[in-house]
Amino acid sequence: MSESFIYLDNNATTPLLPEVVDAMSTVMVLPYGNPSSPHSIGEGTRDIIETARGQVSNLINGNPDNLIFTSGGSEANNQAILSGLGVSGLRRIVTSSVEHSSIKKLCENLEGKGISVEFLPVDSSGLINLNYLEEKLKLHKAFVSIQWVNNETGVIQPISEIAAICKKYHCLFHTDAAQALGKLEIDISSLDPDYLTITAHKINGPQGVGALYAKDIEKLTAIVVSGTEEFGKRGGTENLLGIVGFGKACEIRKRDYNECIDKMGKYRDAFEGFILTALPELKTNGSRTQRVCNTTNIQFPGVDGRAMMSQLDNNDVICSQTSACVSQIPEPSFVLMAMGLDAEDAFSSLRFSFSSLNTIDEAKDAAEKVIEVYNKVKSLFRY
Ligand SMILES: Cc1ncc(COP(=O)(O)O)c(C=O)c1O
Protein backbone atom coordinates (compact mmCIF):
# COMPACT_ATOMS: atom_id res chain seq x y z
CA MET A 1 0.00 0.00 0.00
CA SER A 2 1.22 3.50 -0.77
CA GLU A 3 1.94 6.15 1.86
CA SER A 4 -0.94 8.25 0.64
CA PHE A 5 -3.93 6.04 1.25
CA ILE A 6 -7.33 7.46 2.14
CA TYR A 7 -8.48 5.86 5.37
CA LEU A 8 -12.27 5.53 5.57
CA ASP A 9 -12.55 2.79 8.19
CA ASN A 10 -12.74 4.95 11.28
CA ASN A 11 -15.58 2.95 12.84
CA ALA A 12 -13.10 0.08 13.07
CA THR A 13 -10.41 2.25 14.61
CA THR A 14 -9.06 5.78 14.29
CA PRO A 15 -5.51 7.12 13.98
CA LEU A 16 -3.95 8.57 17.12
CA LEU A 17 -3.99 12.35 17.37
CA PRO A 18 -0.49 13.86 17.65
CA GLU A 19 -1.43 15.40 21.02
CA VAL A 20 -2.44 11.94 22.25
CA VAL A 21 0.90 10.52 21.12
CA ASP A 22 2.68 13.37 22.96
CA ALA A 23 0.75 12.73 26.16
CA MET A 24 1.51 9.02 26.02
CA SER A 25 5.19 9.63 25.17
CA THR A 26 5.57 11.98 28.13
CA VAL A 27 4.28 9.33 30.52
CA MET A 28 6.46 6.65 28.95
CA VAL A 29 9.63 8.28 30.26
CA LEU A 30 8.38 9.29 33.71
CA PRO A 31 9.74 7.53 36.81
CA TYR A 32 8.27 4.09 36.92
CA GLY A 33 5.58 3.41 39.51
CA ASN A 34 2.79 0.90 39.92
CA PRO A 35 -0.38 2.90 40.56
CA SER A 36 -1.26 0.56 43.43
CA SER A 37 2.11 0.99 45.20
CA PRO A 38 1.93 2.93 48.46
CA HIS A 39 5.15 4.93 47.80
CA SER A 40 5.46 8.39 46.29
CA ILE A 41 6.25 7.16 42.78
CA GLY A 42 3.16 4.96 42.85
CA GLU A 43 1.15 7.91 44.06
CA GLY A 44 2.37 9.96 41.09
CA THR A 45 1.12 7.27 38.72
CA ARG A 46 -2.19 7.09 40.58
CA ASP A 47 -2.62 10.83 40.13
CA ILE A 48 -2.05 10.48 36.39
CA ILE A 49 -4.75 7.82 36.19
CA GLU A 50 -7.17 9.95 38.21
CA THR A 51 -6.58 12.90 35.88
CA ALA A 52 -7.49 10.67 32.94
CA ARG A 53 -10.55 9.34 34.78
CA GLY A 54 -11.66 12.95 35.16
CA GLN A 55 -11.06 13.73 31.47
CA VAL A 56 -13.02 10.68 30.31
CA SER A 57 -15.88 11.30 32.76
CA ASN A 58 -16.04 14.91 31.68
CA LEU A 59 -16.74 13.97 28.07
CA ILE A 60 -19.80 11.98 29.14
CA ASN A 61 -20.79 14.34 31.96
CA GLY A 62 -20.46 11.58 34.52
CA ASN A 63 -18.89 11.24 37.95
CA PRO A 64 -15.31 9.87 37.86
CA ASP A 65 -16.07 7.72 40.92
CA ASN A 66 -18.48 5.73 38.78
CA LEU A 67 -16.08 4.88 35.98
CA ILE A 68 -13.58 2.04 35.72
CA PHE A 69 -11.01 1.48 33.01
CA THR A 70 -11.11 -1.79 31.08
CA SER A 71 -9.23 -3.29 28.15
CA GLY A 72 -11.80 -1.84 25.76
CA GLY A 73 -15.45 -1.81 24.78
CA SER A 74 -15.76 -5.59 24.51
CA GLU A 75 -14.67 -6.17 28.08
CA ALA A 76 -16.88 -3.34 29.34
CA ASN A 77 -19.88 -4.84 27.51
CA ASN A 78 -19.19 -8.27 28.98
CA GLN A 79 -18.75 -6.87 32.46
CA ALA A 80 -21.91 -4.78 32.33
CA ILE A 81 -24.08 -7.73 31.37
CA LEU A 82 -22.48 -10.22 33.75
CA SER A 83 -22.59 -7.67 36.60
CA GLY A 84 -26.18 -6.72 35.89
CA LEU A 85 -27.35 -10.33 35.89
CA GLY A 86 -25.24 -11.14 38.95
CA VAL A 87 -26.38 -8.29 41.20
CA SER A 88 -30.04 -8.42 40.20
CA GLY A 89 -30.48 -12.17 39.99
CA LEU A 90 -32.29 -11.59 36.67
CA ARG A 91 -32.34 -14.56 34.30
CA ARG A 92 -33.58 -12.63 31.30
CA ILE A 93 -31.82 -10.32 28.83
CA VAL A 94 -33.52 -8.11 26.27
CA THR A 95 -31.14 -6.86 23.61
CA SER A 96 -31.28 -6.09 19.89
CA SER A 97 -30.40 -8.19 16.87
CA VAL A 98 -27.80 -5.65 15.69
CA GLU A 99 -25.49 -5.44 18.72
CA HIS A 100 -21.71 -5.60 18.54
CA SER A 101 -20.39 -9.17 18.62
CA SER A 102 -19.13 -8.72 22.21
CA ILE A 103 -22.78 -8.54 23.28
CA LYS A 104 -24.26 -10.87 20.69
CA LYS A 105 -21.79 -13.69 21.43
CA LEU A 106 -21.99 -13.29 25.20
CA CYS A 107 -25.79 -13.42 25.04
CA GLU A 108 -25.67 -16.50 22.85
CA ASN A 109 -23.30 -18.15 25.35
CA LEU A 110 -25.56 -17.21 28.25
CA GLU A 111 -28.56 -18.63 26.41
CA GLY A 112 -26.74 -21.96 26.44
CA LYS A 113 -26.46 -21.61 30.22
CA GLY A 114 -30.16 -21.18 30.87
CA ILE A 115 -30.53 -17.38 30.62
CA SER A 116 -33.42 -16.40 28.39
CA VAL A 117 -32.42 -13.88 25.74
CA GLU A 118 -34.72 -11.86 23.53
CA PHE A 119 -33.01 -10.39 20.45
CA LEU A 120 -35.37 -7.57 19.43
CA PRO A 121 -35.85 -7.22 15.67
CA VAL A 122 -35.08 -3.99 13.86
CA ASP A 123 -36.93 -2.48 10.92
CA SER A 124 -35.40 -1.75 7.52
CA SER A 125 -34.00 1.51 8.94
CA GLY A 126 -32.14 -0.42 11.62
CA LEU A 127 -34.33 0.84 14.48
CA ILE A 128 -35.96 -1.21 17.23
CA ASN A 129 -39.68 -0.80 17.90
CA LEU A 130 -40.29 0.94 21.23
CA ASN A 131 -43.82 -0.45 21.62
CA TYR A 132 -42.46 -3.92 21.16
CA LEU A 133 -39.74 -3.28 23.76
CA GLU A 134 -42.36 -2.03 26.18
CA GLU A 135 -44.54 -5.10 25.58
CA LYS A 136 -41.56 -7.32 26.37
CA LEU A 137 -40.67 -5.51 29.59
CA LYS A 138 -44.29 -5.33 30.73
CA LEU A 139 -44.42 -9.10 30.81
CA HIS A 140 -41.22 -9.80 32.75
CA LYS A 141 -38.36 -7.81 34.22
CA ALA A 142 -35.11 -8.09 32.30
CA PHE A 143 -31.60 -6.76 31.97
CA VAL A 144 -31.76 -4.55 28.87
CA SER A 145 -28.73 -3.90 26.69
CA ILE A 146 -29.30 -1.77 23.59
CA GLN A 147 -26.54 -0.10 21.62
CA TRP A 148 -26.65 3.66 21.15
CA VAL A 149 -25.12 3.75 17.66
CA ASN A 150 -24.60 0.87 15.27
CA ASN A 151 -21.02 0.32 14.14
CA GLU A 152 -21.93 -0.75 10.58
CA THR A 153 -24.66 1.71 9.63
CA GLY A 154 -24.22 4.55 12.13
CA VAL A 155 -27.94 4.28 12.97
CA ILE A 156 -28.85 5.92 16.29
CA GLN A 157 -31.34 4.14 18.54
CA PRO A 158 -33.81 6.38 20.46
CA ILE A 159 -31.78 5.90 23.60
CA SER A 160 -33.51 8.35 25.95
CA GLU A 161 -36.88 6.74 25.22
CA ILE A 162 -35.37 3.28 25.75
CA ALA A 163 -33.86 4.38 29.08
CA ALA A 164 -37.25 5.79 30.15
CA ILE A 165 -39.07 2.55 29.29
CA CYS A 166 -36.50 0.55 31.28
CA LYS A 167 -36.97 2.87 34.24
CA LYS A 168 -40.77 2.58 34.02
CA TYR A 169 -40.57 -1.22 34.28
CA HIS A 170 -37.73 -1.26 36.86
CA CYS A 171 -35.33 -2.98 34.50
CA LEU A 172 -31.56 -2.51 34.57
CA PHE A 173 -30.40 -0.67 31.45
CA HIS A 174 -27.03 -0.83 29.73
CA THR A 175 -26.05 0.93 26.54
CA ASP A 176 -23.02 0.24 24.39
CA ALA A 177 -21.98 3.79 23.50
CA ALA A 178 -18.70 2.82 21.80
CA GLN A 179 -19.76 4.40 18.50
CA ALA A 180 -21.67 7.25 20.10
CA LEU A 181 -18.73 8.65 22.05
CA GLY A 182 -17.51 11.89 20.52
CA LYS A 183 -20.15 11.79 17.77
CA LEU A 184 -23.18 12.51 19.95
CA GLU A 185 -23.50 14.43 23.19
CA ILE A 186 -23.49 11.86 25.98
CA ASP A 187 -24.91 13.22 29.20
CA ILE A 188 -24.90 10.55 31.87
CA SER A 189 -26.69 12.79 34.31
CA SER A 190 -29.75 13.15 32.09
CA LEU A 191 -29.76 9.71 30.40
CA ASP A 192 -29.13 8.01 33.74
CA PRO A 193 -28.26 4.50 32.49
CA ASP A 194 -27.29 1.77 34.95
CA TYR A 195 -24.25 0.94 32.83
CA LEU A 196 -22.59 2.55 29.79
CA THR A 197 -19.69 1.33 27.66
CA ILE A 198 -17.12 3.47 25.86
CA THR A 199 -13.78 2.83 24.18
CA ALA A 200 -10.79 5.00 23.30
CA HIS A 201 -9.87 3.95 19.81
CA LYS A 202 -12.98 5.31 18.10
CA ILE A 203 -12.06 8.89 19.04
CA ASN A 204 -8.40 9.00 18.03
CA GLY A 205 -7.23 7.42 21.27
CA PRO A 206 -5.25 4.20 21.65
CA GLN A 207 -6.51 0.66 21.08
CA GLY A 208 -6.83 -1.69 24.06
CA VAL A 209 -8.41 0.66 26.56
CA GLY A 210 -12.02 1.49 27.32
CA ALA A 211 -14.23 2.23 30.27
CA LEU A 212 -17.41 1.12 31.94
CA TYR A 213 -19.62 3.60 33.75
CA ALA A 214 -21.87 2.20 36.49
CA LYS A 215 -24.55 4.27 38.22
CA ASP A 216 -23.88 2.32 41.40
CA ILE A 217 -20.30 1.11 41.50
CA GLU A 218 -21.39 -1.55 44.00
CA LYS A 219 -23.49 -3.01 41.20
CA LEU A 220 -20.30 -3.88 39.37
CA THR A 221 -18.67 -7.24 39.82
CA ALA A 222 -15.12 -7.88 38.67
CA ILE A 223 -14.69 -10.32 35.82
CA VAL A 224 -10.90 -9.92 35.97
CA VAL A 225 -10.28 -10.73 39.61
CA SER A 226 -7.17 -9.61 41.43
CA GLY A 227 -6.52 -6.81 43.94
CA THR A 228 -7.92 -3.38 44.70
CA GLU A 229 -7.28 -1.88 41.26
CA GLU A 230 -10.15 0.17 39.78
CA PHE A 231 -12.12 0.23 43.07
CA GLY A 232 -11.64 -3.55 43.23
CA LYS A 233 -13.89 -3.91 40.18
CA ARG A 234 -11.25 -4.66 37.57
CA GLY A 235 -8.17 -6.53 38.68
CA GLY A 236 -4.74 -6.16 37.12
CA THR A 237 -2.27 -3.29 36.95
CA GLU A 238 -3.84 -0.51 34.92
CA ASN A 239 -2.84 0.15 31.31
CA LEU A 240 -1.22 3.47 32.21
CA LEU A 241 -0.23 4.56 28.70
CA GLY A 242 -3.58 3.60 27.25
CA ILE A 243 -5.47 5.36 29.99
CA VAL A 244 -3.42 8.54 29.54
CA GLY A 245 -4.09 8.44 25.79
CA PHE A 246 -7.80 7.85 26.38
CA GLY A 247 -7.95 10.77 28.80
CA LYS A 248 -6.20 13.09 26.36
CA ALA A 249 -8.39 12.00 23.44
CA CYS A 250 -11.51 12.73 25.54
CA GLU A 251 -10.18 16.12 26.63
CA ILE A 252 -9.53 17.06 23.00
CA ARG A 253 -12.91 15.79 21.78
CA LYS A 254 -14.66 17.79 24.49
CA ARG A 255 -12.74 20.90 23.43
CA ASP A 256 -13.17 20.40 19.65
CA TYR A 257 -16.54 18.62 19.65
CA ASN A 258 -18.43 21.01 17.37
CA GLU A 259 -15.58 21.30 14.91
CA CYS A 260 -15.15 17.51 14.74
CA ILE A 261 -18.85 16.88 14.16
CA ASP A 262 -18.96 19.57 11.54
CA LYS A 263 -15.95 18.19 9.66
CA MET A 264 -17.04 14.55 9.77
CA GLY A 265 -20.53 15.47 8.57
CA LYS A 266 -19.20 17.59 5.71
CA TYR A 267 -16.84 14.86 4.53
CA ARG A 268 -19.39 12.06 4.75
CA ASP A 269 -22.10 14.10 3.04
CA ALA A 270 -19.79 15.25 0.23
CA PHE A 271 -18.57 11.69 -0.35
CA GLU A 272 -22.03 10.15 -0.28
CA GLY A 273 -23.62 12.95 -2.34
CA PHE A 274 -20.98 12.68 -5.03
CA ILE A 275 -21.42 8.91 -5.35
CA LEU A 276 -25.22 8.88 -5.24
CA THR A 277 -25.44 11.65 -7.84
CA ALA A 278 -23.12 9.82 -10.22
CA LEU A 279 -24.69 6.41 -9.56
CA PRO A 280 -28.39 6.95 -8.74
CA GLU A 281 -29.03 3.20 -8.82
CA LEU A 282 -27.14 2.83 -5.51
CA LYS A 283 -28.84 2.98 -2.12
CA THR A 284 -27.71 3.50 1.43
CA ASN A 285 -28.51 1.05 4.21
CA GLY A 286 -30.23 2.27 7.36
CA SER A 287 -31.94 5.46 8.40
CA ARG A 288 -30.58 8.60 6.74
CA THR A 289 -32.02 10.85 9.45
CA GLN A 290 -31.27 8.85 12.62
CA ARG A 291 -27.61 8.39 11.78
CA VAL A 292 -24.30 9.68 13.16
CA CYS A 293 -22.40 12.20 11.10
CA ASN A 294 -19.44 10.09 10.01
CA THR A 295 -20.86 6.86 8.57
CA THR A 296 -22.41 5.75 5.31
CA ASN A 297 -23.19 2.16 4.38
CA ILE A 298 -23.76 1.84 0.63
CA GLN A 299 -25.25 -1.01 -1.38
CA PHE A 300 -23.61 -1.57 -4.76
CA PRO A 301 -26.20 -3.73 -6.53
CA GLY A 302 -24.96 -6.61 -8.59
CA VAL A 303 -21.37 -6.59 -7.37
CA ASP A 304 -19.60 -8.42 -4.59
CA GLY A 305 -18.56 -5.83 -2.01
CA ARG A 306 -15.55 -7.93 -1.04
CA ALA A 307 -14.18 -7.70 -4.59
CA MET A 308 -14.84 -3.98 -4.54
CA MET A 309 -13.20 -3.52 -1.18
CA SER A 310 -10.11 -5.28 -2.38
CA GLN A 311 -10.00 -3.21 -5.60
CA LEU A 312 -10.44 -0.04 -3.55
CA ASP A 313 -7.59 -1.14 -1.31
CA ASN A 314 -5.43 -1.53 -4.44
CA ASN A 315 -6.44 2.04 -5.27
CA ASP A 316 -5.51 3.27 -1.79
CA VAL A 317 -9.02 3.70 -0.43
CA ILE A 318 -9.51 1.79 2.81
CA CYS A 319 -13.05 0.82 3.82
CA SER A 320 -14.77 -2.26 5.20
CA GLN A 321 -17.78 -4.45 4.87
CA THR A 322 -18.67 -5.38 8.43
CA SER A 323 -17.16 -4.66 11.82
CA ALA A 324 -13.45 -5.56 11.99
CA CYS A 325 -13.93 -8.27 14.62
CA VAL A 326 -16.22 -10.39 12.45
CA SER A 327 -14.79 -9.52 9.06
CA GLN A 328 -12.69 -12.69 8.93
CA ILE A 329 -15.91 -14.72 8.97
CA PRO A 330 -17.06 -15.34 5.38
CA GLU A 331 -20.71 -14.58 6.16
CA PRO A 332 -22.88 -11.65 5.18
CA SER A 333 -23.33 -8.91 7.78
CA PHE A 334 -25.79 -10.06 10.45
CA VAL A 335 -26.65 -6.38 11.02
CA LEU A 336 -27.78 -5.86 7.43
CA MET A 337 -29.56 -9.23 7.36
CA ALA A 338 -31.45 -8.21 10.54
CA MET A 339 -32.57 -5.11 8.62
CA GLY A 340 -34.09 -7.35 5.97
CA LEU A 341 -31.38 -7.45 3.31
CA ASP A 342 -30.77 -10.78 1.65
CA ALA A 343 -27.26 -12.27 1.63
CA GLU A 344 -26.52 -10.94 -1.85
CA ASP A 345 -27.45 -7.36 -0.98
CA ALA A 346 -25.56 -7.59 2.31
CA PHE A 347 -22.45 -8.83 0.51
CA SER A 348 -22.80 -6.01 -2.01
CA SER A 349 -22.65 -3.37 0.74
CA LEU A 350 -19.67 -1.42 2.03
CA ARG A 351 -19.15 0.79 5.08
CA PHE A 352 -17.26 4.08 4.79
CA SER A 353 -16.56 5.94 8.02
CA PHE A 354 -14.78 9.27 8.42
CA SER A 355 -12.84 10.94 11.20
CA SER A 356 -12.06 14.62 11.63
CA LEU A 357 -8.53 13.84 10.39
CA ASN A 358 -9.82 13.18 6.88
CA THR A 359 -10.10 16.11 4.46
CA ILE A 360 -12.67 17.29 1.94
CA ASP A 361 -10.24 16.51 -0.88
CA GLU A 362 -9.94 12.96 0.41
CA ALA A 363 -13.73 12.66 0.49
CA LYS A 364 -13.96 13.76 -3.14
CA ASP A 365 -10.98 11.70 -4.36
CA ALA A 366 -12.28 8.62 -2.59
CA ALA A 367 -15.74 9.12 -4.11
CA GLU A 368 -14.22 9.31 -7.60
CA LYS A 369 -12.31 6.11 -6.99
CA VAL A 370 -15.39 4.35 -5.65
CA ILE A 371 -17.32 5.27 -8.80
CA GLU A 372 -14.47 4.13 -11.03
CA VAL A 373 -13.97 0.85 -9.15
CA TYR A 374 -17.71 0.11 -9.05
CA ASN A 375 -18.00 0.51 -12.81
CA LYS A 376 -14.97 -1.70 -13.32
CA VAL A 377 -15.98 -4.43 -10.87
CA LYS A 378 -19.54 -4.39 -12.18
CA SER A 379 -18.35 -5.14 -15.70
CA LEU A 380 -15.95 -7.88 -14.50
CA PHE A 381 -17.66 -9.70 -11.65
CA ARG A 382 -21.40 -9.39 -12.11
CA TYR A 383 -23.06 -12.20 -10.10
C1 LIG B 1 -20.49 -0.69 18.92
C2 LIG B 1 -19.19 -1.28 19.44
N1 LIG B 1 -19.17 -1.85 20.64
C3 LIG B 1 -18.06 -2.39 21.16
C4 LIG B 1 -16.88 -2.38 20.46
C5 LIG B 1 -15.68 -3.05 21.04
O1 LIG B 1 -14.73 -2.15 21.46
P1 LIG B 1 -13.22 -2.64 21.61
O2 LIG B 1 -12.68 -2.79 20.24
O3 LIG B 1 -12.58 -1.54 22.39
O4 LIG B 1 -13.25 -3.92 22.36
C6 LIG B 1 -16.84 -1.78 19.19
C7 LIG B 1 -15.58 -1.77 18.40
O5 LIG B 1 -15.52 -2.18 17.30
C8 LIG B 1 -18.03 -1.22 18.67
O6 LIG B 1 -18.06 -0.67 17.46
Side-chain angles (χ1 to χ4, degrees):
M1 181 195 306
S2 87
E3 290 279 295
S4 58
F5 58 89
I6 302 175
Y7 183 76
L8 302 183
D9 197 16
N10 289 281
N11 283 8
T13 199
T14 50
L16 289 177
L17 282 171
E19 286 161 282
V20 170
V21 175
D22 285 350
M24 293 170 75
S25 312
T26 306
V27 166
M28 225 181 249
V29 294
L30 285 180
Y32 219 78
N34 185 314
S36 295
S37 295
H39 48 63
S40 56
I41 311 271
E43 202 175 302
T45 312
R46 260 197 314 284
D47 287 348
I48 292 171
I49 289 181
E50 292 320 312
T51 300
R53 204 185 306 279
Q55 291 164 318
V56 174
S57 305
N58 195 27
L59 182 57
I60 58 174
N61 198 22
N63 183 341
D65 295 338
N66 294 78
L67 184 119
I68 63 161
F69 288 112
T70 63
S71 67
S74 301
E75 184 186 320
N77 281 342
N78 274 243
Q79 187 166 359
I81 292 177
L82 295 172
S83 293
L85 292 181
V87 297
S88 63
L90 287 166
R91 309 274 299 159
R92 182 162 180 260
I93 299 173
V94 171
T95 185
S96 83
S97 47
V98 293
E99 297 294 314
H100 184 259
S101 54
S102 54
I103 291 192
K104 181 178 183 277
K105 282 242 177 78
L106 177 68
C107 288
E108 287 165 355
N109 291 348
L110 289 169
E111 245 183 333
K113 294 187 175 126
I115 303 287
S116 104
V117 183
E118 185 96 35
F119 292 95
L120 298 177
V122 292
D123 62 17
S124 59
S125 308
L127 293 162
I128 66 160
N129 181 315
L130 293 179
N131 294 331
Y132 193 63
L133 170 68
E134 188 153 4
E135 286 307 314
K136 293 288 161 192
L137 301 188
K138 232 184 234 171
L139 291 177
H140 303 285
K141 263 194 186 177
F143 180 90
V144 180
S145 181
I146 307 282
Q147 68 188 192
W148 196 326
V149 171
N150 185 267
N151 39 308
E152 293 189 28
T153 58
V155 168
I156 305 169
Q157 297 294 341
I159 217 69
S160 304
E161 287 92 328
I162 294 170
I165 293 171
C166 292
K167 199 160 273 177
K168 182 169 167 194
Y169 295 102
H170 308 289
C171 293
L172 286 176
F173 171 55
H174 163 248
T175 184
D176 173 0
Q179 295 287 350
L181 186 71
K183 296 171 197 151
L184 297 174
E185 302 245 16
I186 300 181
D187 183 356
I188 288 281
S189 67
S190 67
L191 183 68
D192 197 26
D194 293 288
Y195 305 95
L196 180 137
T197 291
I198 50 178
T199 187
H201 69 115
K202 313 294 183 184
I203 59 156
N204 308 103
Q207 300 174 3
V209 60
L212 177 59
Y213 161 88
K215 177 155 63 177
D216 179 354
I217 203 85
E218 289 315 314
K219 287 198 175 142
L220 267 189
T221 39
I223 54 173
V224 180
V225 185
S226 180
T228 56
E229 301 93 347
E230 296 301 299
F231 315 120
K233 304 299 179 184
R234 203 278 179 177
T237 304
E238 286 90 341
N239 170 5
L240 177 66
L241 290 181
I243 289 171
V244 165
F246 191 10
K248 191 46 126 181
C250 287
E251 182 190 272
I252 295 168
R253 186 55 67 100
K254 178 96 187 172
R255 184 191 72 198
D256 299 343
Y257 181 78
N258 290 333
E259 188 188 332
C260 283
I261 299 298
D262 191 49
K263 280 186 178 172
M264 289 190 282
K266 264 192 200 137
Y267 306 157
R268 191 274 312 274
D269 290 348
F271 172 83
E272 190 182 78
F274 206 70
I275 293 173
L276 296 182
T277 306
L279 302 167
E281 71 270 32
L282 304 192
K283 355 182 213 191
T284 56
N285 294 316
S287 169
R288 293 279 289 277
T289 51
Q290 303 302 309
R291 182 176 69 156
V292 283
C293 57
N294 79 319
T295 310
T296 177
N297 191 308
I298 304 180
Q299 229 184 94
F300 297 90
V303 305
D304 185 336
R306 292 162 297 183
M308 239 191 104
M309 191 173 79
S310 137
Q311 284 299 310
L312 283 169
D313 199 337
N314 290 341
N315 283 275
D316 301 321
V317 175
I318 309 299
C319 65
S320 57
Q321 186 155 62
T322 53
S323 94
C325 44
V326 293
S327 60
Q328 305 297 326
I329 306 169
E331 283 173 8
S333 153
F334 66 83
V335 169
L336 299 183
M337 301 278 281
M339 290 161 57
L341 273 72
D342 61 22
E344 193 177 304
D345 286 344
F347 270 134
S348 77
S349 300
L350 290 175
R351 168 182 79 174
F352 302 90
S353 48
F354 291 79
S355 90
S356 59
L357 297 182
N358 289 119
T359 64
I360 195 74
D361 287 344
E362 283 187 334
K364 289 181 181 154
D365 290 352
E368 271 171 20
K369 287 188 178 175
V370 168
I371 295 163
E372 196 184 303
V373 165
Y374 172 63
N375 286 328
K376 187 167 140 200
V377 174
K378 196 168 62 167
S379 61
L380 291 176
F381 299 106
R382 235 190 145 82
Y383 303 132

